[in-house]
Amino acid sequence: MKPARTKTPRKPLVKKGSQTSLKDPVGVYCRVRPLSFPDQERCIEVINSTTVQLHTPEGYRFNRNGDYKETQYSFKQVFGTHTTQKELFAVVANPLVDDLIHGKNGLLFTYGVTGSGKTHTMTGSPGEGGLLPRCLDMIFNSIGSFQAKRYVFKSNDRNSMDIQCELDALLERQKREATPNPKTPFSKRQVDPEFADMINVQEFCKAEEVDEDSVYGVFVSYIEIYNNYIYDLLEEVLFDPIKPKPPQSKLLREDKNHNMYVAGCTEVEVKSTEEAFEVFWRGQKKRRIANTHLNRESSRSHSVFNIRLAQAPLDADGNSVLQEKEQITISQLSLVDLAGSERTNRTKAEGNRLREAGNINQSLMTLRTCMEVLRENQMYGTNKMVPYRDSKLTHLFKNYFDGEGKVRMIVCVNPKAEDYEESLQVMRFAEVTQEVEVARPVDKAICGLTPGRRFRNQARAGPVGDEPLVTEVVLQSFPPLPPCEILDINDEQTLPRLIEALEKRHHLRQMMTEEFNKQSITFKALLQEFDNTVLNKENYVQGKLNEKEKVISGQKLEIERLEKKNKTLEYKIDILEKTTTIYEEDKRNLQQELETQNQKLQRQFSDKRRLEARLQGMVTETTMKWEKECERRVAAKQLEMQNKLWVKDEKLKQLKAIVTEPKTEKPERPSRERDREKVTQRSVSPSPVPNVPPIRLRHRRSRSAGDRWVDHKPASNVQTETVMQPHVPHAITVSVANEKALAKCEKYMLTHQELASDGEIETKLIKGDVYKTRGGGQSVQFTDIETLKQESPTGRKRRSSSGAPVQPDGTESEWTDVETRCSVAVEMKAGSQLGPGYQHHAQPKRKKP
C-alpha cells in the first residue's frame, strides 16, 4: 500500500515558464543505417558511443578543391548499424512513455535526408517493430487493468476531455452499436496480417509506479502536413464516384491553456495495442508517398501520430470515477516522422514533386531557424521573436519548446558518400539543436483522496458466498420440528406430533405460496407499468434527441459556413501579412537610405564648415600679413622720404656755408692711419667727454603702469647691455607661466629674444590681457608687440675716399666744388656712428689744367 499523499484535491493553474530556472537540453541521438551494398564508399564513421566523424569523400574532393576535411560531431548517444529497435526504444522512447503515464508531455521526431531510415525507425518493418508499436505496447501493458470503460472519457472540440458516469457511457455504447453500419469490435476481429508482425513485440515492457487509484483512457489521432497544409488521415469521407470531394485541410487553434491543437481532428479511443496500430495503419495508407530517384517510397509529407492519455481518480469508495472535470489529467506523446530534406538536382523532381520538395525544405528550414533563434536568445540573453508561425510544423509544436514537455530528436544518417552534403547540413542542425534548452515540465497535482482505495474496498466487501440464501431465511420462518426419535414400539405420541407439525408447515407453505403468487402478480403489474413508463420516456427522449440532432445539424452547417468564412479571412490575413512584410521591408530600406543620405549631408556640412573655418583663417592670416606688409612699406617709404628731405636740407646748408664762408687756408686732412686708430678706439671703448655727467640708464615705462603685470622672462634669455631696458613696476616676474600668477594679475608680458637678419639680438615684448574662463581658469589675449633692437656701428659700410689721388708734394687737394662738399655732408649723416667733434674731409677734385 502506498503512503498517503497530502496535496490538495484541486489542480492549481500553473503558468508557463514558472520553472524556467530548471531547464534540460534537447536530447539529440544519432542512428547510422547500414549501407545498401558493402563495397559502397562511406563518408561517416562511428568513433564511439557519443561521437561520429564526417569526412570528405573522394568524388567530392575531386570536384572541389581537393581538400580532405574531417569533422567530429557529438550526440547524447550514437547508435551504429547493428543497433536493434529494442535497444533504441529502451534509451530514447521508454522515458517518454513513462512520463506520459505520469502526466507529462513528450515530443519525439526523426530527422534526416531522404532514404536515411526515418520511417523504419518510427514504424518498423515486419518482424521488427519500430518505436511507435513499442510505445503503444508499453502503454497498454502499464494501464491494461486500470482502463475505464469506453466512452467514460469523451473528447471535445476544445482540446480537453469531458467525463461521464458509467450509465451514460453504457447508453452511448448501445447507441453506437445500434447504428445502421456498426463496426465489429476489434476484440472480435482478427489482426490484419499486413502488420501483425510489426506489433508482435516479444519483450514485455511496463512503466513503474502506475497510479492504481485512477482510471485511464487512450485516444489517438493521425495527421499529415503536406505543402504546409494540415490533413486528417483518420477522417471518414464518403466516396462519391461522380464528383469526388478532395480532403479538407484543418486549422490550428489555441486552447484556454495556450496550447496549440488541430481543430476538428478525428480522435479515436482505443483499448489495445492491436486496435491502436490498426487505426494508425488505416491512416498510413492515406499518407502521401511517391517514388523518387533517391527513394522508392519517399514520404512527401510530415506525419504526426498523437497519443493522448486521459487519467481521472476514483471516488472515495473506489468503485466509480470521480465526476469532476478539473481532476482529469491529460498528457500527450507526439511521434513525428519528418519528410526527408532533398536536393532537387539529385532527385530529378519535376512538377508536383518539385513543389513538394520545395515545401518540405522550407518547413525544415523554418524549424532550423527557430532552433537558432532559441539558442541565440538563451546564450546571449536577447529577446528575439521566434518565427513559429512561418510554418505549420513549428507552429503546432511551439508549446514543447516553451516548456510543455520533453523533446527528443533522432538524427538518421546514411553513411554513403553521395549524401555527404545533405549529411553535413543535418549534422550542423543537430549541433545547433543540442544547445537549445527546454523548461522542465511541471509535476501534475494529484487528488487528495486516500490512496489504495480500489483494492481496499474490494477486500472489505468479502466473498459473495458469505451472504445468506433466500431458502435459509424461509426455512428459519417455519415452526421447529418436534423430536422424531422413537425408542419404544408402543410410543403413540411422537408420530402424531410430527404429523401435526408437518401439517402446520404445509399449511404455512400454502399460505406463503398464495402470498407469493399475489405479490408476483402485483410485481408483474408494476413491471408492466414501469415498462410502459420507460417506453414513454424513451419515446420522449427519442423525440428530444431528434430535435437536438436537427439543432446540431443546423449548428454544424453554421459551423461549416463560419469555418469557410474563417478560412477566407485567414487567407486574406496571410495576404495582408505578406503585404505588410513587403511594406515594412521597403520602409526599412527607405529609412536606411534616408539615414545614409542624412549622414552624407552631415559629413558634407561638416566638411563645408571646416572649409569655411579654414578659408576664414586663411583670409584673416592673409589680411594681417598684407596689413603688416603695407605698414612696413609705408614706414619704409616715410623713412626714405625723410632721408631724402634731410639730405636735401643738408645739401642746402652746405651750399649756404660754401657760398657764405670766406676763403682760408686749406684744412689739413688727417692721415688715414690716424683715422683708423681713432675709429678703432671709439668702437672698443669710447672715452667720455670731460665735464659731461655720466649717462643714466633709461627705463622704458609700460603703457599700462596702473595695472598689475605678469612679467614672463624665460630662463634662456640673454642679458643685453642696451640703455633702454623694459621695466614694469609692481610686476610678478616668473620664468614659467603658471595659473597662480595669472589669477593675481590683469596684464601679461612675455620677453622673447630672437636673432635678426643682420646677426644682432632682437628683443620682443609681447603683451596681452588676462581673462577668466567659464571653467575657472585664465586665458591670455595678446594685444601688442614692442621691439628692442641693438645695431653695431661696424655693421654698415661707410663711403671711403682712400682712392682719391694725392698731390705729389704730399698735400691733399682742397675742396673746391659744391658737389664734393655736399657728398661729404651726406656721408656724414649716413655715418652717424662717428663721435662728436669728428670732422669729415673729402678729397677735393683735381683742377683742370
Side-chain angles (χ1 to χ4, degrees):
M1 183 180 296
K2 295 199 270 190
R5 299 179 183 178
T6 58
K7 293 189 177 181
T8 57
R10 295 290 179 182
K11 181 178 180 180
L13 180 62
V14 182
K15 296 182 179 180
K16 290 187 180 181
S18 61
Q19 290 188 355
T20 52
S21 58
L22 300 176
K23 292 186 176 182
D24 296 320
V26 176
V28 181
Y29 302 85
C30 179
R31 186 178 193 185
V32 183
R33 67 160 289 176
L35 291 171
S36 301
F37 304 100
D39 56 347
Q40 277 185 301
E41 183 184 1
R42 303 173 65 93
C43 65
I44 297 177
E45 300 289 343
V46 179
I47 303 301
N48 52 40
S49 61
T50 59
T51 309
V52 296
Q53 178 175 287
L54 186 67
H55 59 79
T56 311
E58 293 292 338
Y60 188 85
R61 296 199 300 271
F62 178 76
N63 293 329
R64 302 291 174 147
N65 53 8
D67 294 337
Y68 182 79
K69 185 178 181 181
E70 292 183 351
T71 310
Q72 292 188 356
Y73 297 92
S74 297
F75 296 90
K76 193 167 184 179
Q77 188 164 340
V78 175
F79 301 95
T81 57
H82 301 291
T83 303
T84 62
Q85 300 279 44
K86 174 186 175 182
E87 296 171 351
L88 182 67
F89 171 79
V91 175
V92 180
N94 189 303
L96 295 178
V97 177
D98 190 75
D99 288 344
L100 175 73
I101 295 173
H102 291 89
K104 297 179 182 178
N105 299 330
L107 170 64
L108 173 62
F109 60 96
T110 56
Y111 182 85
V113 302
T114 298
S116 59
K118 302 183 299 299
T119 304
H120 171 76
T121 299
M122 186 62 70
T123 308
S125 59
E128 191 176 12
L131 298 181
L132 191 148
R134 292 177 182 271
C135 290
L136 294 172
D137 188 68
M138 179 176 175
I139 291 171
F140 288 105
N141 288 340
S142 303
I143 65 168
S145 58
F146 305 132
Q147 288 192 71
K149 295 186 180 297
R150 199 181 295 268
Y151 305 123
V152 169
F153 294 104
K154 190 175 180 180
S155 62
N156 53 34
D157 295 335
R158 298 179 299 276
N159 200 33
S160 60
M161 290 285 177
D162 296 328
I163 191 168
Q164 54 188 356
C165 64
E166 294 187 1
L167 182 59
D168 294 336
L170 177 62
L171 291 176
E172 186 165 354
R173 286 198 301 272
Q174 292 176 353
K175 182 180 177 181
R176 295 289 180 93
E177 292 174 357
T179 54
N181 295 318
K183 293 184 179 180
T184 306
F186 194 88
S187 58
K188 301 179 182 180
R189 299 201 307 263
Q190 292 183 353
V191 181
D192 191 344
E194 190 176 2
F195 59 84
D197 293 339
M198 293 185 183
I199 61 176
N200 187 15
V201 181
Q202 300 296 330
E203 301 81 12
F204 182 82
C205 191
K206 183 180 178 181
E208 299 293 336
E209 298 181 0
V210 180
D211 187 6
E212 60 186 17
D213 294 320
S214 298
V215 292
Y216 300 86
V218 181
F219 296 81
V220 295
S221 61
Y222 196 19
I223 63 171
E224 71 169 351
I225 302 174
Y226 175 72
N227 287 339
N228 207 27
Y229 289 99
I230 300 176
Y231 297 98
D232 184 6
L233 296 177
L234 302 181
E235 186 176 18
E236 297 291 342
V237 180
L238 296 177
F239 179 71
D240 189 357
I242 300 175
K243 189 177 179 180
K245 187 178 180 180
Q248 295 294 322
S249 63
K250 302 298 181 180
L251 300 177
L252 285 178
R253 291 284 183 265
E254 191 176 42
D255 62 9
K256 63 180 181 180
N257 295 323
H258 305 289
N259 295 322
M260 303 306 301
Y261 70 98
V262 180
C265 179
T266 304
E267 202 165 26
V268 181
E269 184 177 8
V270 292
K271 293 299 179 181
S272 64
T273 305
E274 294 79 7
E275 184 180 359
F277 199 81
E278 191 268 340
V279 172
F280 165 76
W281 198 254
R282 190 171 71 244
Q284 184 73 0
K285 292 180 180 179
K286 297 181 181 180
R287 189 182 176 190
R288 291 172 173 85
I289 60 174
N291 185 8
T292 65
H293 187 70
L294 297 181
N295 192 358
R296 187 171 57 87
E297 293 183 357
S298 175
S299 301
R300 312 311 297 166
S301 63
H302 310 298
S303 67
V304 182
F305 187 76
N306 287 321
I307 305 172
R308 287 217 299 169
L309 182 67
Q311 176 182 356
L314 296 173
D315 58 8
D317 296 332
N319 296 326
S320 58
V321 184
L322 188 65
Q323 298 294 312
E324 292 186 16
K325 187 177 178 180
E326 296 80 6
Q327 295 296 330
I328 301 176
T329 301
I330 302 174
S331 54
Q332 177 173 306
L333 175 61
S334 298
L335 304 176
V336 185
D337 181 13
L338 296 178
S341 59
E342 56 188 23
R343 301 176 65 188
T344 55
N345 58 352
R346 290 189 60 206
T347 57
K348 305 296 187 298
E350 295 178 355
N352 290 334
R353 300 289 87 81
L354 182 61
R355 180 186 174 202
E356 292 167 357
N359 286 306
I360 290 169
N361 293 337
Q362 181 63 34
S363 61
L364 295 177
M365 183 60 67
T366 304
L367 177 61
R368 180 170 183 172
T369 303
C370 293
M371 292 297 182
E372 290 176 350
V373 175
L374 283 171
R375 182 188 65 167
E376 184 177 350
N377 289 343
Q378 293 172 4
M379 293 181 65
Y380 304 108
T382 58
N383 194 20
K384 290 185 178 180
M385 186 183 71
V386 184
Y388 291 121
R389 293 179 178 266
D390 291 353
S391 171
K392 292 290 194 302
L393 177 66
T394 54
H395 195 192
L396 178 61
F397 296 119
K398 66 180 287 293
N399 308 104
Y400 288 97
F401 297 103
D402 291 341
E404 288 296 328
K406 290 184 180 180
V407 181
R408 296 288 182 267
M409 181 176 73
I410 301 176
V411 176
C412 299
V413 293
N414 193 338
K416 65 179 181 179
E418 290 81 358
D419 289 348
Y420 170 74
E421 289 190 359
E422 290 85 349
S423 299
L424 183 62
Q425 297 300 324
V426 169
M427 293 296 180
R428 289 175 179 172
F429 172 69
E431 191 175 30
V432 172
T433 306
Q434 287 186 103
E435 298 177 0
V436 176
E437 292 184 344
V438 179
R440 189 174 299 174
V442 183
D443 293 334
K444 67 168 185 176
I446 56 177
C447 180
L449 297 174
T450 306
R453 53 192 177 277
R454 177 193 292 266
F455 297 108
R456 184 179 63 251
N457 292 338
Q458 290 180 2
R460 184 184 304 168
V464 181
D466 293 343
E467 294 180 359
L469 297 176
V470 179
T471 55
E472 294 180 357
V473 175
V474 174
L475 291 175
Q476 288 178 2
S477 63
F478 287 165
L481 293 175
C484 301
E485 220 176 309
I486 299 176
L487 300 176
D488 189 5
I489 57 174
N490 297 320
D491 189 359
E492 295 179 356
Q493 296 180 355
T494 302
L495 289 176
R497 284 198 298 266
L498 180 59
I499 292 171
E500 184 181 1
L502 289 176
E503 286 178 352
K504 288 182 179 178
R505 283 197 172 197
H506 178 70
H507 180 67
L508 182 62
R509 180 180 176 186
Q510 285 180 347
M511 292 176 61
M512 291 178 66
T513 303
E514 292 176 358
E515 183 68 22
F516 178 75
N517 291 331
K518 291 179 182 179
Q519 290 181 359
S520 297
I521 294 171
T522 305
F523 185 69
K524 284 181 181 180
L526 292 175
L527 282 178
Q528 188 68 29
E529 185 180 356
F530 181 75
D531 288 341
N532 294 331
T533 305
V534 170
L535 184 60
N536 294 332
K537 288 185 177 180
E538 284 181 353
N539 295 331
Y540 176 77
V541 170
Q542 187 66 33
K544 290 291 184 181
L545 285 176
N546 293 332
E547 293 178 1
K548 294 293 184 181
E549 286 178 355
K550 291 180 181 179
V551 175
I552 290 172
S553 299
Q555 291 179 350
K556 284 183 178 179
L557 294 175
E558 182 68 16
I559 289 171
E560 289 179 358
R561 187 185 65 80
L562 293 176
E563 284 181 349
K564 290 180 180 178
K565 184 178 179 180
N566 192 15
K567 189 174 182 181
T568 305
L569 293 176
E570 285 186 349
Y571 178 72
K572 292 181 179 179
I573 289 171
D574 291 338
I575 294 176
L576 292 175
E577 286 179 351
K578 292 179 181 178
T579 307
T580 305
T581 304
I582 294 172
Y583 285 157
E584 288 179 351
E585 185 68 25
D586 294 340
K587 179 182 176 182
R588 284 195 295 269
N589 295 333
L590 291 174
Q591 286 180 348
Q592 291 177 358
E593 186 177 355
L594 180 61
E595 290 178 357
T596 305
Q597 294 295 335
N598 287 335
Q599 292 176 1
K600 187 177 180 180
L601 289 176
Q602 290 291 340
R603 288 195 297 269
Q604 291 178 355
F605 184 67
S606 301
D607 295 341
K608 182 179 178 182
R609 284 190 298 181
R610 285 197 296 270
L611 184 60
E612 288 179 353
R614 190 186 306 169
L615 291 175
Q616 187 68 26
M618 292 175 62
V619 169
T620 306
E621 184 179 356
T622 306
T623 303
M624 293 178 62
K625 180 178 179 181
W626 281 106
E627 286 179 355
K628 291 181 180 179
E629 183 66 20
C630 291
E631 290 177 359
R632 185 185 65 76
R633 290 184 181 183
V634 170
K637 198 66 177 178
Q638 288 178 355
L639 182 60
E640 182 181 356
M641 298 300 291
Q642 288 177 2
N643 288 337
K644 287 182 180 180
L645 184 61
W646 185 82
V647 168
K648 289 180 180 181
D649 290 342
E650 288 297 325
K651 284 183 179 182
L652 290 174
K653 288 180 183 180
Q654 292 294 334
L655 181 60
K656 183 179 179 181
I658 293 171
V659 173
T660 57
E661 72 179 359
K663 286 195 177 181
T664 58
E665 294 183 357
K666 299 178 180 178
E668 182 178 357
R669 181 181 178 84
S671 62
R672 183 61 60 186
E673 288 77 6
R674 282 201 301 260
D675 292 343
R676 190 177 295 113
E677 289 176 3
K678 289 180 180 179
V679 172
T680 305
Q681 289 176 1
R682 285 184 61 81
S683 63
V684 174
S685 57
S687 60
V689 180
N691 300 325
V692 177
I695 298 173
R696 184 179 179 184
L697 295 176
R698 294 177 59 192
H699 294 283
R700 184 173 181 182
R701 186 171 179 81
S702 171
R703 296 179 183 176
S704 304
D707 298 326
R708 192 165 178 81
W709 288 74
V710 175
D711 189 4
H712 182 188
K713 293 182 178 180
S716 60
N717 286 358
V718 179
Q719 187 68 30
T720 60
E721 297 180 356
T722 59
V723 176
M724 301 181 72
Q725 292 286 338
H727 177 69
V728 182
H730 307 295
I732 299 176
T733 304
V734 295
S735 60
V736 178
N738 57 73
E739 185 179 356
K740 184 177 181 181
L742 291 173
K744 296 179 180 180
C745 302
E746 298 83 13
K747 299 289 184 179
Y748 174 81
M749 182 176 69
L750 171 64
T751 305
H752 174 65
Q753 290 183 343
E754 62 182 7
L755 194 64
S757 59
D758 55 358
E760 296 294 337
I761 295 177
E762 184 179 58
T763 304
K764 290 185 179 181
L765 305 179
I766 305 172
K767 298 184 291 181
D769 297 331
V770 180
Y771 295 98
K772 291 185 178 181
T773 62
R774 285 185 181 179
Q778 288 78 27
S779 64
V780 177
Q781 181 177 359
F782 295 104
T783 58
D784 192 12
I785 299 177
E786 296 183 8
T787 305
L788 301 178
K789 186 175 180 183
Q790 183 178 5
E791 296 181 354
S792 175
T794 59
R796 296 185 180 181
K797 292 185 179 181
R798 190 165 51 84
R799 293 183 63 183
S800 176
S801 59
S802 60
V806 183
Q807 299 296 332
D809 55 359
T811 62
E812 297 179 353
S813 62
E814 57 184 18
W815 300 342
T816 56
D817 56 344
V818 178
E819 183 180 356
T820 305
R821 302 276 305 268
C822 288
S823 63
V824 171
V826 172
E827 185 176 356
M828 182 179 68
K829 177 62 179 176
S832 61
Q833 292 92 345
L834 301 179
Y838 191 88
Q839 297 181 358
H840 294 264
H841 299 281
Q843 183 68 28
K845 292 185 177 180
R846 296 172 67 182
K847 295 181 180 180
K848 296 182 179 179

